[in-house]
Amino acid sequence: MVAIICEFNPFHNGHQYIIETAKRLTNEPVLAVMSGSFCQRGEVAVCSKFERAAAALRHGADIVAELPAVHAVSCAQRFAQAGVHIAKAFESTGCLAFGCEDDDLTALQAAADAFQNEAVNRKIAFLMKSGAYYPQAAEQAVREVCGDAAADMLTQPNTVLAVEYLRALRGSSVKPLPIRRVGAAHHSRESCGSFLSASAIRERLRRGEDVSAFMPEPPSEITFPPLLERAVLYRLRTMTAAQLRALPEVGEGLENRLAAAVKTSRSVEEIIAAVKTKRYTHARLRRILCCALLDITESLQAQRADHVRVLGFSQAGAALLKTCRLPVVTSVAKAMRTDSLTAEFLRRDILATDTAALAYQAVKPCGTDYHTKLIRSYSPAEPAVK
């Protein structure tokens, strides 16, 4: 089986291309480890995780497992580690495929190996003490110690994640399979044939434009992040400095600056503008505020999931579920009856989905995680599993 760590936010032609290419190169079924109701940039997903999972299954994926919300809104390093942890939980996983701007595996591996270099790590620590934020410090340190070729791998969003995947795979039998991105660049607003970046698709969807040329199936309903603004402000206004300090990626007194900004700000952007520095970038602050909204603490995010929650599978995927070394959760209600780490993780997934329900123009009810049936996707030639 070949694994793909993804967001599918939303599922578009580029994602279908990666799945098809991974299958063609490996002749193996595909496991998609997919973010749920919120994504790594600290924003609500553009549509339901169940709708995105169903689209992926109808267009090539064989299992869709949810990347827990606890890790879906984490920094690139933790995001990659959490995704790889779930991918490796399946004995049948032989490859991890990922899209990136540069598919030169030798150069990517050199960039990943650079973080094993003590000189690089010392330089990163020095630069961060001087006020640089981690991605900037990492790129500069690798450039100075290891040269431009390795450092250039850290300048593109998908390549940064590719490097983190390689770091997370270290010592594993799972082989990396980089797939060069085709069509539009990561944040490009312009299309290239039938390809358009996910960010541009989200923008066009929210403007009410037709994006059917760039997606195998446009979502039925979409979210609007500004609709969560007051929920975020309410949550922040009810938190103490100690609670803010317990959030992931908060340190060096940021909790005090946040607490002060919350008292005088009338919007999320005002809060971010008040506390933003070189070290605390817009994206990092977005994740911090998202963690506040979803009650995700540093202590919880630092833990690995002890389960795999499956959103759906194909006929081929059904057999592969038996190769998972971790408990497979197909019923949230049953898993929530236990007092365990699994329940703590699932509680955040449920909260994330119920919170995302507020971001639709017509507010959705709570409980979608309890009421949505497991997605079973079969081709016409495949018999359904009873």
Side-chain angles (χ1 to χ4, degrees):
M1 184 162 63
V2 55
I4 298 172
I5 302 168
C6 53
E7 294 189 319
F8 294 161
N9 185 35
F11 188 83
H12 58 63
N13 293 347
H15 298 136
Q16 185 173 0
Y17 169 81
I18 289 176
I19 290 175
E20 291 174 348
T21 302
K23 282 195 162 185
R24 176 174 56 79
L25 293 174
T26 65
N27 197 31
E28 296 283 349
V30 166
L31 160 68
V33 182
M34 186 189 79
S35 298
S37 299
F38 282 76
C39 294
Q40 205 256 339
R41 63 199 304 269
E43 185 175 278
V44 64
V46 74
C47 62
S48 159
K49 64 186 178 186
F50 301 106
E51 191 165 9
R52 285 152 46 224
L57 288 165
R58 282 193 289 266
H59 297 281
D62 294 286
I63 300 174
V64 178
E66 182 172 1
L67 182 67
V70 167
H71 297 130
V73 295
S74 63
C75 64
Q77 186 174 25
R78 281 184 173 172
F79 180 93
Q81 289 172 344
V84 168
H85 172 66
I86 292 174
K88 291 195 301 183
F90 290 84
E91 291 178 11
S92 53
T93 301
C95 290
L96 177 70
F98 45 86
C100 51
E101 289 82 4
D102 190 332
D103 61 353
D104 183 343
L105 184 55
T106 300
L108 288 168
Q109 192 64 62
D113 291 344
F115 292 95
Q116 299 296 107
N117 188 315
E118 284 302 316
V120 168
N121 292 320
R122 285 195 300 271
K123 186 66 177 178
I124 290 173
F126 171 78
L127 291 170
M128 291 185 69
K129 284 182 180 178
S130 303
Y133 68 105
Y134 179 78
Q136 178 190 59
E139 181 192 338
Q140 184 175 336
V142 170
R143 194 173 300 281
E144 291 183 13
V145 177
C146 303
D148 291 341
D152 287 345
M153 292 291 110
L154 304 175
T155 61
Q156 297 289 339
N158 283 302
T159 306
V160 168
L161 266 176
V163 169
E164 293 298 345
Y165 293 146
L166 291 177
R167 293 178 69 187
L169 285 174
R170 189 178 301 280
S172 165
S173 62
V174 177
K175 305 300 182 186
L177 178 62
I179 297 174
R180 185 183 288 272
R181 284 175 60 94
V182 296
H186 183 70
H187 286 304
S188 172
R189 296 297 181 265
E190 301 299 323
S191 62
C192 181
S194 63
F195 296 101
L196 182 65
S197 70
S199 57
I201 290 174
R202 290 192 295 270
E203 287 182 3
R204 295 191 187 190
L205 278 170
R206 287 165 175 155
R207 291 199 300 263
E209 298 178 18
D210 180 12
V211 293
S212 57
F214 311 110
M215 307 176 68
E217 48 183 282
S220 61
E221 293 183 272
I222 60 171
T223 62
F224 295 86
L227 295 178
L228 292 181
E229 182 100 349
R230 292 193 179 191
V232 175
L233 291 175
Y234 170 77
R235 174 60 179 154
L236 292 171
R237 290 182 179 190
T238 62
M239 295 179 73
T240 65
Q243 289 172 320
L244 290 168
R245 185 167 57 250
L247 297 172
E249 300 189 75
V250 171
E252 301 169 324
L254 178 66
E255 68 276 10
N256 297 317
R257 296 178 61 199
L258 274 171
V262 166
K263 291 177 182 177
T264 59
S265 300
R266 293 172 294 177
S267 71
V268 168
E269 285 305 320
E270 282 187 17
I271 294 171
I272 291 174
V275 299
K276 187 177 180 296
T277 64
K278 282 185 179 180
R279 190 163 199 177
Y280 288 96
T281 62
H282 194 282
R284 183 174 178 180
L285 291 169
R286 278 269 174 201
R287 288 196 300 272
I288 289 170
L289 299 189
C290 188
C291 286
L293 180 65
L294 302 179
D295 191 27
I296 297 170
T297 61
E298 165 63 25
S299 60
L300 184 60
Q301 195 179 87
Q303 299 187 68
R304 290 184 174 182
D306 63 349
H307 68 284
V308 174
R309 184 188 176 185
V310 173
L311 299 178
F313 51 82
S314 69
Q315 181 79 359
L320 293 167
L321 290 176
K322 299 174 183 177
T323 73
C324 189
R325 301 181 183 94
L326 293 174
V328 174
V329 172
T330 56
S331 169
V332 167
K334 186 182 295 185
M336 287 297 290
R337 295 188 192 119
T338 64
D339 182 16
S340 63
L341 181 61
T342 297
E344 280 297 294
F345 271 70
L346 290 174
R347 191 170 291 115
R348 277 32 175 225
D349 294 339
I350 295 165
L351 175 59
T353 303
D354 290 345
T355 302
L358 301 173
Y360 293 90
Q361 288 184 330
V363 173
K364 305 293 182 187
C366 291
T368 306
D369 279 283
Y370 289 102
H371 304 142
T372 304
K373 293 181 179 179
L374 196 65
I375 304 163
R376 292 174 169 85
S377 179
Y378 304 107
S379 72
E382 291 177 324
V385 174
K386 300 295 185 183

